[in-house]
Amino acid sequence: YGAGGAGCAISAAGGSGVDGGVIVWEYTGSGGADLAEWYETDGNSFAGDIVTFGSQSFTYKTETGQHTVPIMKKAIAGDDLFGVVSTRPEITMGDDITSIAKYPRLVALTGRVPVSVSTQNGPIKKGNLLTASSIPGVAVRADKAGQIIGSALEDYDALPNEVGKIL
């Protein structure tokens, strides 16, 4: 009952003024759960990596003029965090750079995204805040105030030097 993403139904007992009617919406999409934008990277960032602003820039032209943006690279603890390289976004934008960028990657702006993680700061539990670790591109449980990239939606426990992925 109510609205939903993959479908919605009204019960056979009726509802919303309909007696015995069924309403179904079919949703077709990529199966992703995030909104992502294309950015140029240094070529070393892949799905699940946390990224930050590199020291080099990328300049390109669009209908609105010339734009210069930083080239993204894997983030480490202490960097200004920008986002996570998306795995399979539902919605994408900024594809005007894909034909001219050397290493374009989709970076999630919002949504649920698999992220590379380590237990350097201890096991990760659902709801723990995640931040960058000393391993480039890899998140850890945040254990003090600072920048975060989101909340863990899954538990993760492994040896501290192992890297896995969670939502």
Side-chain angles (χ1 to χ4, degrees), residues 2 18 36 38 40 49-50 57 64 75-76 85 105 115 118 125 132 147:
V18 178
W38 287 101
E40 176 66 307
D49 288 342
I50 303 171
S57 296
T64 60
I76 58 170
V85 178
R105 299 282 189 267
V115 63
S118 165
K125 301 290 181 198
Q147 291 192 2

Side-chain angles (χ1 to χ4, degrees), residues 39-41 55-62 65-72 96-103:
Y39 286 92
E40 176 66 307
T41 70
S55 59
Q56 297 181 329
S57 296
F58 174 70
T59 301
Y60 64 100
K61 290 182 182 180
T62 67
Q66 183 169 305
H67 309 282
T68 301
V69 295
I71 294 176
M72 299 296 159
D96 48 348
I97 74 156
T98 58
S99 63
I100 53 176
K102 192 171 182 181
Y103 303 107

Side-chain angles (χ1 to χ4, degrees), residues 6-103:
C8 172
I10 298 176
S11 74
S16 297
V18 178
D19 187 19
V22 176
I23 299 173
V24 177
W25 288 280
E26 183 175 331
Y27 174 77
T28 305
S30 72
D34 65 296
L35 164 68
E37 185 172 6
W38 287 101
Y39 286 92
E40 176 66 307
T41 70
D42 63 3
N44 295 312
S45 301
F46 302 97
D49 288 342
I50 303 171
V51 291
T52 187
F53 310 102
S55 59
Q56 297 181 329
S57 296
F58 174 70
T59 301
Y60 64 100
K61 290 182 182 180
T62 67
E63 294 174 1
T64 60
Q66 183 169 305
H67 309 282
T68 301
V69 295
I71 294 176
M72 299 296 159
K73 67 175 189 169
K74 290 182 181 182
I76 58 170
D79 284 343
D80 290 328
L81 307 182
F82 182 73
V84 176
V85 178
S86 184
T87 302
R88 201 169 118 198
E90 178 64 27
I91 301 169
T92 64
M93 52 191 197
D95 63 349
D96 48 348
I97 74 156
T98 58
S99 63
I100 53 176
K102 192 171 182 181
Y103 303 107

